[in-house]
Amino acid sequence: MGPPLVFPGVEDHYPNSLALKQVQVLFRHGERTPVHRSIQQWDKWGFPIFWPLCDWTRRSLTGLINPNIKQVTTFEYEREIETLTEEDPSPLFANAGKRGICTEGQLTDRGRISGHYLGAQLRELYVDRLAFLPRNFTKASDIYLRTTGIVRSRETLQQVFNGLYPLSRHSVTPTLLERFPFEENLHPMVHCPRLSELRKQFRAAAAKKWNPQLEEASHVLKDILSSPEGRITVGDGNNKDEAWAIIDTYSSALAHNIKTPAGFANRQVVNTVARAALESEFTGYEKNAEMKQLGMGRFFAEVLQRMTIGDPIVSENMAEISQMLGQKEVKVYRKVPLLALYAAHDSSIGAILSTLGVFDNRWINFTSHITFELFDEKVKSTSWSLGSPAQFVRLKYNGRPMAIPACQPKGKHWGDDSSFCTFAAFQDFVRSVSPMRDWSAQCKEHLGEQAPELQELTEVTAST
């Protein structure tokens, strides 16, 4: 489970002179099984071959259409995994006496509990402590719910919402939104040619820096590696022992209290492999303007849009917002929601934090989340040119306020607290990281060109 959002003194983080107007939260899905089986002979080295961690969802309900009675009926069923063995090619149950076997990358029972816990924490903070959200969910327009098309994200969003508003607390049916893959902006899009090219360039640069340093880790973990070379690397998508896959497997086991092979007891080795994986994946979003714009730039623009649609302060800037979103025209919402929940991934969290310039190169835990809070100043101020009342934006990571570099200069934050960005400073930042023109068109520009920042990284590598 993630860190608590409610802790002693949390109310002190909400000054009396500021009124909370809106909250948006993007979170990683809950605990899951490893996406790829990157370690050989799992049973020999301490990992279970099958992960019986999905028992609560073994029995499911689905809707069936009966054309004879022209209505949808409920169909209940149980799901089990079937497998084959070398000794017996006939299909066998994979449970070995246990039920609830998970598939690769599946949200586990613990992951569902963590999602519910996050929702319950949101309720305790924004409903019980701050009285910002209504106690009951009676208006669908109050909350915006969206998920990527990955099942574990959708299921986590369901759990988060149920923790926030249990069945006894809502009288209307919530709507969970998804988008077509080519319109998705909740995680960096792999089918953007220029973004894919830049990611490969930065991964190749990371490989030059980190692969020599990973030799010791490869030696310590040699018995569990799968590739014939027996080497942990970054920047090589064809290597089963890619650093990201190794740490992903380790973190999944750790999250479920599953015993890991002895080599993982060496914290220095684990930290080295994790840092190499994270830098390989996210350095580009910190260093390169194109990666900021093509990666999570459209999401930042949408966060700004959801804060401002219907606000007379920015009603004249619709064309600019449309451009930042990569849309021909902006979608106008009838009502600015009180809360927006976005179910996403670690790739989303890392890219956002790196774009903001605040990523600490620590592994992104399950249900980690980034919160965008919009505030109105209660007392009219004449010192800001943003209209009346003045507005401020604060970002939090796992419940803790962040000091965004773009908001640190004098005049770009509220009083002495640099975690409260002026709205103008936040808007300027979003402009700087949003697509400069149509996103799809920008994805096809500058193909074949090397990122200018790579020369700097190469020089640093050569000097170490």
Side-chain angles (χ1 to χ4, degrees), residues 127-411:
V127 177
D128 299 336
R129 295 290 187 98
L130 302 177
F132 170 67
L133 294 175
R135 299 198 64 80
N136 298 306
F137 180 60
T138 58
K139 296 180 181 178
S141 59
D142 281 346
I143 301 182
Y144 176 88
L145 305 169
R146 185 154 71 86
T147 175
T148 66
I150 308 300
V151 174
R152 56 182 173 269
S153 294
R154 183 192 312 126
E155 292 175 339
T156 301
L157 179 57
Q158 294 167 351
Q159 293 288 152
V160 171
F161 183 80
N162 188 54
L164 174 62
Y165 285 109
L167 290 175
S168 61
R169 289 292 184 178
H170 60 81
S171 57
V172 295
T173 301
T175 300
L176 275 59
L177 302 172
E178 295 184 26
R179 292 186 180 175
F180 293 114
F182 60 87
E183 293 182 325
E184 185 60 80
N185 64 9
L186 291 183
H187 60 88
M189 298 303 296
V190 295
H191 60 257
C192 174
R194 180 55 176 165
L195 180 59
S196 295
E197 182 178 63
L198 288 167
R199 291 173 68 180
K200 289 179 181 178
Q201 290 180 11
F202 277 93
R203 286 172 175 173
K208 291 181 180 179
K209 173 185 176 180
W210 283 103
N211 285 351
Q213 300 182 48
L214 290 171
E215 291 182 1
E216 180 184 354
S218 299
H219 176 72
V220 172
L221 299 174
K222 62 181 180 180
D223 290 334
I224 65 173
L225 301 182
S226 300
S227 63
E229 298 81 10
R231 295 185 63 230
I232 301 174
T233 62
V234 295
D236 183 0
N238 295 320
N239 183 12
K240 291 182 180 180
D241 297 324
E242 220 279 337
W244 189 278
I246 294 292
I247 298 299
D248 176 74
T249 301
Y250 169 72
S251 65
S252 294
L254 202 65
H256 295 94
N257 297 320
I258 291 176
K259 182 181 178 181
T260 57
F264 286 106
N266 188 323
R267 298 303 305 169
Q268 182 177 349
V269 165
V270 172
N271 291 338
T272 298
V273 177
R275 187 175 179 186
L278 290 167
E279 285 197 17
S280 172
E281 186 67 23
F282 298 124
T283 295
Y285 297 105
E286 177 188 355
K287 302 289 186 181
N288 182 264
E290 278 187 280
M291 286 191 68
K292 295 177 192 285
Q293 295 165 358
L294 299 177
M296 298 303 295
R298 291 180 303 157
F299 172 73
F300 277 109
E302 183 166 328
V303 169
L304 177 65
Q305 177 198 27
R306 193 148 284 114
M307 290 178 178
T308 56
I309 292 303
D311 193 321
I313 297 174
V314 295
S315 60
E316 298 177 356
N317 298 331
M318 291 300 179
E320 180 187 7
I321 295 176
S322 298
Q323 177 179 305
M324 290 192 294
L325 287 165
Q327 299 172 350
K328 294 182 178 179
E329 59 182 19
V330 74
K331 297 179 177 65
V332 179
Y333 297 90
R334 294 182 179 180
K335 183 179 182 296
V336 176
L338 295 174
L339 173 69
L341 297 177
Y342 309 96
H345 307 271
D346 51 358
S347 60
S348 317
I349 300 280
I352 290 173
L353 294 177
S354 297
T355 300
L356 289 166
V358 295
F359 189 43
D360 59 5
N361 280 319
R362 294 178 181 271
W363 198 256
I364 301 163
N365 292 327
F366 298 107
T367 65
S368 287
H369 49 280
I370 298 173
T371 305
F372 300 80
E373 295 178 323
L374 177 66
F375 295 86
D376 281 345
E377 191 173 35
K378 293 180 180 178
V379 179
K380 182 178 179 180
S381 172
T382 59
S383 60
W384 309 104
S385 59
L386 299 172
S388 178
Q391 291 186 308
F392 301 88
V393 178
R394 180 172 65 178
L395 279 69
K396 300 190 296 183
Y397 179 48
N398 289 336
R400 303 292 177 173
M402 295 187 288
I404 308 304
C407 303
Q408 298 311 295
K410 184 178 180 180

Side-chain angles (χ1 to χ4, degrees), residues 6-75:
V6 181
F7 46 85
V10 68
E11 291 87 350
D12 296 337
H13 288 202
Y14 294 85
N16 291 330
S17 57
L18 297 180
L20 188 59
K21 183 179 179 181
Q22 185 192 66
V23 177
Q24 302 186 54
V25 185
L26 179 141
F27 52 87
R28 187 190 182 192
H29 53 75
E31 288 88 338
R32 57 153 170 77
T33 53
V35 175
H36 302 292
R37 183 171 294 190
S38 58
I39 294 178
Q40 67 174 354
Q41 296 179 299
W42 283 26
D43 55 338
K44 179 179 179 181
W45 301 113
F47 284 106
I49 298 178
F50 303 110
W51 295 47
L53 305 172
C54 300
D55 189 59
W56 287 4
T57 55
R58 180 170 49 86
R59 178 171 295 180
S60 302
L61 296 174
T62 189
L64 298 180
I65 297 177
N66 188 331
N68 296 323
I69 59 177
K70 297 182 179 181
Q71 69 180 35
V72 177
T73 57
T74 299
F75 176 70

